[in-house]
Amino acid sequence: MADAARKMDDDAAALYREAPSNIEAEQALLGAMLVNNDAYYVVHDFLKPDHFFEPLHREIFAKTSEMIRMGKIANPVTIKTFLAAGDKVGDLTVAQYLARLAAEATTIINASDYGRAIYDLAIRRSLIRIGEDVVNIAFDAPLDMEPKAQIEDAERRLFELAETGRYDGGFQSFTEAVTLAVEMATAAKDRDGGLSGVSSGISALDRSMGGLQASDLIILAGRPAMGKTSLATNIAFNIAAAYEPAEQADGSFKAKNGGVVGFFSLEMSAEQLATRIISEQTEISSSKIRRGNINDQELVKLVGCSETMQRIPLYIDQTGGISIAQLSARARRLKRQRGLDVMVIDYVQLMQGSSRTQGNRVQEITEITTGLKALAKELAVPIIALSQLSRQVENRDDKRPQLADLRESGSIEQDADVVMFVYREEYYLANREPKPGTDDHLKWEQALNETRGRAEVIIAKQRHGPTATVPLAFQAEYTRFTDLADDSYLPERFE
C-alpha cells in the first residue's frame, strides 16, 4: 500500500509540475530598473516582456521599457499611473508592490545575470510548449496534416528557438569592429586563393566574385544543354573535395578551406549525379560508364575516384518536387548534424510552393525565391539555385541571356544577390550548319573551331561587385568546366 501511495504521489507530482520560473530574479531585475534606469540598457538587446513568467512583471517591464526609450524617468511614482490601480498582489496594491520592488532592489551590477536567468527559463518554457504541441497534435492530428508536415514544423520551431534572442548583439565599439575586420582578412589570407568567400574551385569565377559569399542567393541560369547542372556539380565537388576543417576556441569546427555541401537534385537521381561527377573527375565519358564499356585501367580510375568521393562531405537529396518548407527543414537538419557551408538546388522550377500559392505559378516562384533568400541568411551560407530561362532567348539573333529572360517571375532577379548565365556559342553554331561546300560553310567551320570547347559565364547581376563575362573551357564529353589555359584576360582580384 505504501508503495502504491508513493507511486500515486509521484504521478501527481509529474502531472502538476510547475513551469520553470524564477520570480525572485524577475523582482530583482525590475527593482534594479526602477531604481536605476541604466539597468534596462544592460538587458534590452535580448530580454522581452514575454520572457517574464508573472503577467504583472511582463506589464511592468513593458511600461518601464517604453518610458525609458521615450527618454522619461521610470520609477514607482511615474509607472503606477499606467498600471491597473485596483489590482492586488497578495495584500499589496500595485503601487505598494512597485515601492517594495524598488526598496528591496540591489545594485545593477547583477542585472545582466538576472536577465539571462529570466531568458533561459523562458526558453525552457518554450521547449515545453513545443513538446506539448508535438504530443497533442500527434494524438489528435487534423486529417489534412501529414506526419512529415508536423516534423518539419517542429524542426522549424526548434531551429528558430535556437537561433533567436541570443545574448550578443546591439552596438559594438569601433575597436571590436576593427578586430572583426582584421580577423576576416586573416581568414581570407589563410584560405586558399585569398578569398573572402568560399572558393568555387574555378579561378576565373573566384577573381570576379571573391568566392561564394555567405548569405548570398546565387542564381545560375541557362537554356537546356548549356551546362548549368555541370557547372553546379563541378563547383559542388570542388568545394567538398577542398574541405579542410579548423577547430575553433569553443571546440566546434569551421571550414578553413572548401566546405560541407548539400546538393538538392530535383531532376536527376543521386546515382545519375554521382555518375556525372565521376565522369568529370576521371575523364571517362558518362556514356561509357553507363554501358560498362571500360577497360581495366579505367576501372582502376573509377574505383579510386569512388573511394575519394566517399570521403568528401557532399550530401545529396534526390527528392523530386520538394517544397520550400521541406527543403528548409532538411537544410537545417544537415547544418545541425553534419555542418553546412554551401547549398546547391537543381532547379528552382521543379520546386513546389505552399498550398496557398498552388495554381499561380508566378506567386509560387516568388514564394520559393523569397524563402531561399531568407534561408541563406538564416543559415549564413551561400545558396546556388539553378533556374531555367524562357524560350524568348531562341527568338533573338544574339542568344546571350539577359536578366529579362529569367523564367516565370521577376522575383528571381529581385531576390538574388548574384545572377549568372551559362552560355555556349558552340551549341548554337553546331545546330546551324549551312550546306557543305559553300562559302558560308567555310565561314561556319571557322567560327565553330573558334568557339569549340569554350563557354561563357555571364555575371549579369552582383550586389557586391561589378558585372562581367568570364570565359571558361568546357569539355562536353566529361561535362566539365575549367579555367582556360591562357588566363591573361582575367580581371584583377576582386577587392
Side-chain angles (χ1 to χ4, degrees):
M1 289 291 291
D3 291 341
R6 189 179 305 111
K7 185 177 186 304
M8 288 181 64
D9 290 341
D10 292 342
D11 291 344
L15 286 172
Y16 296 105
R17 285 185 298 181
E18 292 186 358
S21 61
N22 189 332
I23 299 298
E24 291 78 8
E26 295 181 8
Q27 291 172 331
L29 177 61
L30 292 173
M33 287 174 56
L34 293 171
V35 171
N36 188 336
N37 289 172
D38 287 343
Y40 166 72
Y41 295 108
V42 177
V43 298
H44 81 287
D45 281 341
F46 63 88
L47 200 62
K48 308 299 176 190
D50 289 343
H51 292 143
F52 287 79
F53 180 74
E54 170 60 44
L56 178 59
H57 291 170
R58 293 179 205 157
E59 195 171 358
I60 294 172
F61 183 79
K63 297 299 182 184
T64 303
S65 303
E66 187 177 352
M67 289 194 69
I68 294 171
R69 287 196 301 268
M70 293 172 63
K72 298 179 179 180
I73 297 298
N75 59 35
V77 176
T78 59
I79 289 295
K80 68 179 182 181
T81 57
F82 298 101
L83 300 172
D87 289 349
K88 286 278 190 176
V89 184
D91 296 332
L92 303 176
T93 64
V94 171
Q96 291 171 331
Y97 186 67
L98 290 171
R100 177 73 65 85
L101 289 177
E104 297 181 357
T106 55
T107 175
I108 72 165
I109 294 174
N110 297 323
S112 178
D113 293 330
Y114 294 143
R116 294 184 182 191
I118 295 166
Y119 171 80
D120 288 343
L121 290 167
I123 293 297
R124 291 188 183 185
R125 293 195 296 272
S126 296
L127 283 170
I128 291 170
R129 283 195 296 272
I130 293 172
E132 288 175 343
D133 288 346
V134 169
V135 172
N136 293 334
I137 294 173
F139 269 113
D140 190 17
L143 291 175
D144 60 346
M145 187 175 192
E146 296 182 4
K148 66 178 182 180
Q150 185 186 355
I151 293 171
E152 289 160 5
D153 181 64
E155 285 186 333
R156 176 188 58 79
R157 292 174 65 185
L158 285 169
F159 193 86
E160 287 175 354
L161 196 61
E163 294 298 312
T164 57
R166 295 172 177 171
Y167 302 143
D168 52 2
F171 284 106
Q172 294 178 325
S173 70
F174 192 66
T175 302
E176 292 174 332
V178 169
T179 302
L180 289 173
V182 171
E183 288 176 354
M184 185 184 74
T186 303
K189 179 179 180 297
D190 292 340
R191 189 180 290 123
D192 289 347
L195 304 169
S196 58
V198 180
S199 171
S200 67
I202 301 176
S203 300
L205 280 179
D206 289 340
R207 294 192 188 186
S208 290
M209 298 172 60
L212 310 179
Q213 306 296 322
S215 302
D216 272 5
L217 174 59
I218 302 165
I219 297 295
L220 178 59
R223 289 292 294 157
M226 287 295 104
K228 55 185 180 297
T229 299
S230 300
L231 181 57
T233 55
N234 289 171
I235 292 173
F237 181 87
N238 291 342
I239 293 171
Y243 179 60
E244 183 182 345
E247 187 171 2
Q248 306 299 297
D250 61 359
S252 62
F253 286 87
K254 187 176 181 181
K256 178 182 177 182
N257 287 311
V260 178
V261 181
F263 199 114
F264 290 86
S265 180
L266 284 74
E267 187 175 32
M268 292 190 294
S269 68
E271 181 185 0
Q272 291 172 325
L273 199 63
T275 301
R276 176 172 286 208
I277 295 174
I278 289 174
S279 174
E280 294 164 2
Q281 300 305 314
T282 59
E283 296 188 351
I284 303 171
S285 70
S286 56
S287 61
K288 290 181 65 176
I289 295 174
R290 284 194 297 269
R291 295 196 309 268
N293 185 22
I294 54 177
N295 56 39
D296 292 341
Q297 185 178 358
E298 289 172 332
L299 180 60
V300 171
K301 291 175 69 176
L302 286 177
V303 172
C305 181
S306 65
E307 290 175 351
T308 300
M309 288 179 63
Q310 290 172 19
R311 293 193 298 268
I312 67 173
L314 174 58
Y315 302 98
I316 300 170
D317 187 310
Q318 61 179 348
T319 308
I322 194 170
S323 69
I324 183 64
Q326 292 171 324
L327 184 142
S328 299
R330 295 179 188 189
R332 294 185 190 110
R333 189 185 310 149
L334 179 60
K335 184 175 179 69
R336 187 173 65 249
Q337 294 177 346
R338 302 178 183 274
L340 182 63
D341 297 293
V342 177
M343 272 179 61
V344 182
I345 301 159
D346 184 16
Y347 54 91
V348 167
Q349 280 77 16
L350 291 178
M351 292 183 64
Q352 293 181 356
S354 62
S355 56
R356 68 176 182 274
T357 60
Q358 285 181 1
N360 188 323
R361 192 55 181 162
V362 172
Q363 289 184 8
E364 217 172 349
I365 294 295
T366 299
E367 180 188 47
I368 290 167
T369 57
T370 303
L372 290 177
K373 176 56 186 174
L375 184 64
K377 291 182 66 178
E378 176 186 325
L379 301 181
V381 301
I383 294 181
I384 303 174
L386 279 60
S387 176
Q388 292 281 21
L389 293 178
S390 65
R391 288 190 179 90
Q392 65 188 17
V393 175
E394 310 297 336
N395 299 327
R396 297 196 302 262
D397 291 336
D398 185 358
K399 312 252 187 254
R400 284 178 174 80
Q402 303 169 5
L403 289 172
D405 298 326
L406 287 168
R407 185 174 171 183
E408 291 178 316
S409 177
S411 67
I412 298 178
E413 176 187 349
Q414 177 182 325
D415 294 328
D417 297 282
V418 178
V419 177
M420 300 190 299
F421 298 118
V422 185
Y423 174 72
R424 293 194 298 117
E425 180 70 19
E426 178 188 2
Y427 172 82
Y428 290 106
L429 282 174
N431 293 327
R432 295 201 303 263
E433 182 179 2
K435 186 177 180 180
T438 62
D439 291 340
D440 288 341
H441 194 272
L442 291 174
K443 293 177 182 178
W444 172 82
E445 281 187 331
Q446 183 179 358
L448 187 63
N449 289 331
E450 290 175 354
T451 60
R452 195 182 304 279
R454 297 174 71 94
E456 296 177 6
V457 174
I458 302 167
I459 304 174
K461 176 185 177 182
Q462 185 174 195
R463 283 205 173 108
H464 315 298
T467 58
T469 297
V470 181
L472 296 177
F474 178 68
Q475 296 169 284
E477 188 178 3
Y478 315 127
T479 62
R480 184 170 65 182
F481 287 85
T482 58
D483 289 299
L484 288 171
D486 178 15
D487 63 354
S488 59
Y489 67 89
L490 291 175
E492 293 298 318
R493 177 169 296 172
F494 181 82
E495 296 179 359

